[in-house]
Amino acid sequence: MPSRLLISALLAFVLVHSLRGSELLPASKPIEEAIDHYIDAKLSAEGITPAVQTDDATLIRRLTLDLAGRIPTPAETREFVDSKEPGKRAKLVDRLMASPGFVRQQATEFDVMLMQGTNGSIRAYMQTAIGENRKWDEIFRELLLPVEKEPMPVKGNRPSSTGKPTDFLRLRLADMDKLTTEVSVVFFGVNVSCARCHDHPLVADWKQDHFFGMKSFFARTYDMAGFIAEREVGLVKFQTTKGQNKQAQMMFLTGKVVDAPGLKEPSKDDEKKEKEAIEKAKQAKTPPPAPKFSARQQLVETALRADSREFFARSIVNRLWSRLYGLGLVTPIDQMHSENPASHPELLQWLARDTAEHGYDLRRLIRGLVLSKTYSRSSRLDEKGEAPLPKTFAVARVRPLTSYQFAMALRLASTDPAQFEKLKADELEKKIDGIEGAARGMQSLFEWPGDEFQVGVGEALLFSNGDRIQKELLVDSTDRLLGKLKLLKEPKEQVQIAVRSVLCREPSVQEVKVLEEYLAKRADRPAESLRQMVWALLCSSEFRFNY
């Protein structure tokens, strides 16, 4: 009878390799066309009529939020909506991706993804990496195999954040189980934490051998006087639910075992040599000597090998898909295993293959994801009856703005739109860069949205009676939206400019009528009525979400 570990390895092999070969579309297919092929084929097979393509005003708002982390200016919206130029969408995507805003937005998103739960940030590093178009496998290497020249400062007994790539490992070194779990989740889309105390009770793929096999890649790593060091020897032991004591093999998620030297307890001679090396490095304030055999390097090399890279490739594809489409092809995004298949397995496999074969180019992948017709569907379904399941991607998913996007949107929406008129591209970016600095000061006021996002009490109270909203967004100075509206004489024009600035679209006839009536009823206090109108628009759910 085959061992449980062998069965587990076979299941992982089947999961990884089952969709290779001729079943997939040709590799030459553009990303956006492959997406639409697989999504539309399943909709057709299930008899689902998808939502129509969204209107241009909604599309530019969606794209600008996703790619540049902000809402479009009224001038940008008007230009895009009015344009009859062929290929205007692709040109907009390329313009946004060439902007500094793209680098800031992606750096912010990846920083949250990589450093969640650590109270640290590597945003500065990610901004450099994204700006230089470093590939995802390069970033992976730099985070797991950082090169240090100076020791990290320590506050008390805890390492403090420096913003450098070394923080990814260092801020997790105190808890090896956490480090093992979070590396597996972030880079491989697999949460093996349930297999720490026992074989996973619901997922045959994950055994204790997998958890402790992954932990073995990190067990020799430690903090040496502010530097990340790695021992020459070291092993991991664990106890099974039957009370059996086992020595872990250095093993990747696929079941691939690495032939590792030094799988033994450190001898007294090993400890003496290590202590001498530490003292020498402390006195010289130099990095520790690199081990002859690096377990972490073996993890990186194994994860990127052609026969086991699917975990790495599929995870980043699924994470970016989830971010841009509101739901992963596999959900939850840390549960990639045979018991939780992708909604569109061939699509995920095609995208993973394409991403790996094009060198893990994040820009290329993001561009393809946002150019598909699936991405640009309306978030409203005209068909009557029961709405299709979210995992069909028949309708665009409504997504809460992140704290960064929301802060940027608030600052831009409350700025006099004339500030953005007739600006050249470089002038516009310079203007937005200044606004971005102010927005960062507000970002901490809002929580980063999770899967079950709801506006919290703190945010509601902030908008209800917070002085900061009044003083920073609803002042009637000449550079603010409210100041602009006060100078206008016609209520209809006031309504139009307010809606264009805040909601990035033209107001409907009914909206104009209702808001004009509101302003007329408060004609004795025009400044306050305008302030209330702008406040109401900023508090609307339409403004708070990407749709």
Side-chain angles (χ1 to χ4, degrees):
M1 180 179 292
S3 69
R4 296 177 71 187
L5 183 57
L6 177 58
I7 293 172
S8 174
L10 288 172
L11 283 170
F13 180 87
V14 170
L15 177 65
V16 169
H17 296 272
S18 61
L19 294 171
R20 284 182 171 175
S22 59
E23 294 182 24
L24 299 181
L25 287 174
S28 59
K29 203 80 166 173
I31 293 174
E32 58 272 24
E33 290 184 18
I35 291 171
D36 292 332
H37 168 85
Y38 286 116
I39 297 294
D40 290 348
K42 190 162 187 177
L43 290 174
S44 178
E46 296 183 8
I48 298 172
T49 301
V52 299
Q53 292 292 288
T54 195
D55 60 88
D56 281 349
T58 300
L59 182 58
I60 186 175
R61 184 181 187 273
R62 187 184 298 174
L63 283 167
T64 309
L65 280 165
D66 281 336
L67 298 180
R70 63 176 178 87
I71 57 174
T73 68
E76 287 177 304
T77 300
R78 184 174 63 250
E79 181 181 359
F80 184 73
V81 171
D82 292 346
S83 174
K84 306 299 181 186
E85 186 179 11
K88 68 177 186 178
R89 175 177 170 183
K91 291 177 182 178
L92 170 65
V93 168
D94 290 338
R95 176 176 70 79
L96 291 171
M97 293 185 69
S99 72
F102 176 79
V103 176
R104 290 193 293 260
Q105 161 68 0
Q106 304 314 311
T108 300
E109 293 276 3
F110 276 103
D111 183 44
V112 172
M113 168 187 143
L114 292 164
M115 300 303 291
Q116 198 164 25
T118 67
N119 294 319
S121 171
I122 56 170
R123 185 178 181 277
Y125 160 74
M126 285 306 305
Q127 190 152 333
T128 299
I130 299 294
E132 295 177 354
N133 196 27
R134 289 183 204 165
K135 307 306 186 280
W136 184 234
D137 59 333
E138 293 180 73
I139 294 171
F140 176 51
R141 285 182 183 277
E142 290 172 358
L143 294 179
L144 290 196
L145 304 171
V147 177
E148 301 178 286
K149 296 181 179 179
E150 297 178 354
M152 182 178 179
V154 176
K155 291 183 179 179
N157 294 323
R158 296 176 61 85
S160 57
S161 180
T162 65
K164 297 179 180 179
T166 51
D167 284 359
F168 178 83
L169 284 177
R170 194 190 316 276
L171 297 181
R172 294 177 166 98
L173 279 181
D175 188 339
M176 282 292 168
D177 287 351
K178 179 180 178 180
L179 174 61
T180 301
T181 297
E182 293 185 0
V183 167
S184 299
V185 166
V186 169
F187 292 109
F188 309 123
V190 171
N191 190 332
V192 291
S193 60
C194 282
R196 182 171 66 88
C197 300
H198 48 73
D199 293 346
H200 199 296
L202 301 176
V203 182
D205 302 22
W206 308 131
K207 310 299 180 187
Q208 280 185 290
D209 298 275
H210 289 97
F211 179 87
F212 290 102
M214 289 294 289
K215 185 176 179 178
S216 296
F217 289 108
F218 301 104
R220 303 182 188 188
T221 300
Y222 66 104
D223 190 323
M224 191 214 75
F227 289 104
I228 292 179
E230 194 170 359
R231 299 181 178 92
E232 294 284 358
V233 299
L235 55 81
V236 172
K237 293 180 179 180
F238 65 98
Q239 190 175 71
T240 69
T241 53
K242 294 181 179 180
Q244 178 187 2
N245 292 316
K246 292 187 69 175
Q247 177 178 313
Q249 295 178 297
M250 200 170 287
M251 186 178 76
F252 189 57
L253 297 166
T254 56
K256 168 66 178 177
V257 174
V258 174
D259 184 16
L263 284 175
K264 62 178 183 178
E265 295 280 8
S267 65
K268 289 185 178 180
D269 187 49
D270 292 327
E271 291 175 349
K272 180 181 178 182
K273 289 180 180 179
E274 181 181 293
K275 186 176 181 179
E276 290 174 351
I278 290 174
E279 289 303 318
K280 185 176 180 181
K282 276 184 179 180
Q283 293 176 7
K285 294 184 178 181
T286 57
K292 296 176 182 177
F293 174 89
S294 169
R296 277 184 285 116
Q297 184 174 354
Q298 287 298 312
L299 172 60
V300 171
E301 301 303 334
T302 301
L304 297 178
R305 280 177 45 175
D307 60 353
S308 55
R309 69 188 183 188
E310 280 83 357
F311 278 104
F312 182 73
R314 285 182 307 159
S315 179
I316 188 59
V317 165
N318 196 49
R319 282 186 171 275
L320 288 176
W321 182 282
S322 180
R323 186 205 299 176
L324 296 168
Y325 288 77
L327 188 74
L329 292 167
V330 174
T331 187
I333 56 176
D334 65 347
Q335 295 296 326
M336 284 189 169
H337 52 72
S338 60
E339 301 291 335
N340 186 38
S343 59
H344 298 75
E346 295 90 351
L347 173 57
L348 179 58
Q349 187 67 16
W350 189 95
L351 289 170
R353 182 189 70 183
D354 180 82
T355 299
E357 291 181 354
H358 287 86
Y360 302 99
D361 187 336
L362 296 175
R363 284 178 178 264
R364 180 181 178 278
L365 175 57
I366 290 171
R367 186 180 188 276
L369 291 175
V370 301
L371 283 177
S372 74
K373 291 180 180 178
T374 303
Y375 172 87
S376 55
R377 286 196 173 114
S378 173
S379 58
R380 295 182 178 181
L381 190 65
D382 294 332
E383 295 291 320
K384 295 181 180 180
E386 187 175 348
L389 293 173
K391 67 179 182 179
T392 64
F393 301 101
V395 186
R397 194 167 173 83
V398 176
R399 296 169 280 145
L401 302 187
T402 66
S403 52
Y404 175 71
Q405 291 171 328
F406 193 37
M408 281 291 287
L410 286 168
R411 299 296 307 195
L412 278 163
S414 59
T415 299
D416 175 7
Q419 300 265 329
F420 307 113
E421 294 285 345
K422 299 179 181 179
L423 292 180
K424 295 179 181 178
D426 58 337
E427 295 172 332
L428 176 63
E429 291 302 331
K430 186 175 181 180
K431 184 73 178 176
I432 290 172
D433 184 59
I435 292 173
E436 196 263 352
R440 287 220 164 267
M442 294 191 73
Q443 183 181 346
S444 62
L445 300 176
F446 313 111
E447 65 174 301
W448 195 272
D451 292 336
E452 302 295 330
F453 173 79
Q454 289 184 338
V455 173
V457 174
E459 183 178 319
L461 290 174
L462 177 68
F463 277 89
S464 296
N465 52 28
D467 289 342
R468 192 161 182 181
I469 298 297
Q470 298 294 326
K471 292 178 180 179
E472 293 189 26
L473 305 180
L474 299 175
V475 293
D476 59 1
S477 59
T478 55
D479 64 335
R480 313 306 296 163
L481 173 61
L482 200 57
K484 171 73 172 181
L485 298 179
K486 281 184 64 177
L487 297 176
L488 303 174
K489 302 300 182 184
E490 295 296 326
K492 182 176 182 179
E493 189 177 6
Q494 291 171 328
V495 170
Q496 289 174 330
I497 290 180
V499 172
R500 289 168 186 163
S501 297
V502 179
L503 302 183
C504 307
R505 61 170 174 80
E506 292 294 323
S508 68
V509 173
Q510 181 65 18
E511 287 170 329
V512 172
K513 181 176 181 294
V514 169
L515 291 174
E516 277 191 293
E517 289 175 354
Y518 174 83
L519 296 177
K521 289 178 181 179
R522 291 157 179 77
D524 58 324
R525 39 184 174 152
E528 184 58 28
S529 64
L530 288 171
R531 181 178 284 107
Q532 289 297 318
M533 179 178 69
V534 172
W535 175 83
L537 292 172
L538 292 175
C539 290
S540 67
S541 57
E542 181 175 349
F543 183 73
R544 188 62 181 84
F545 288 81
N546 192 353
Y547 49 85

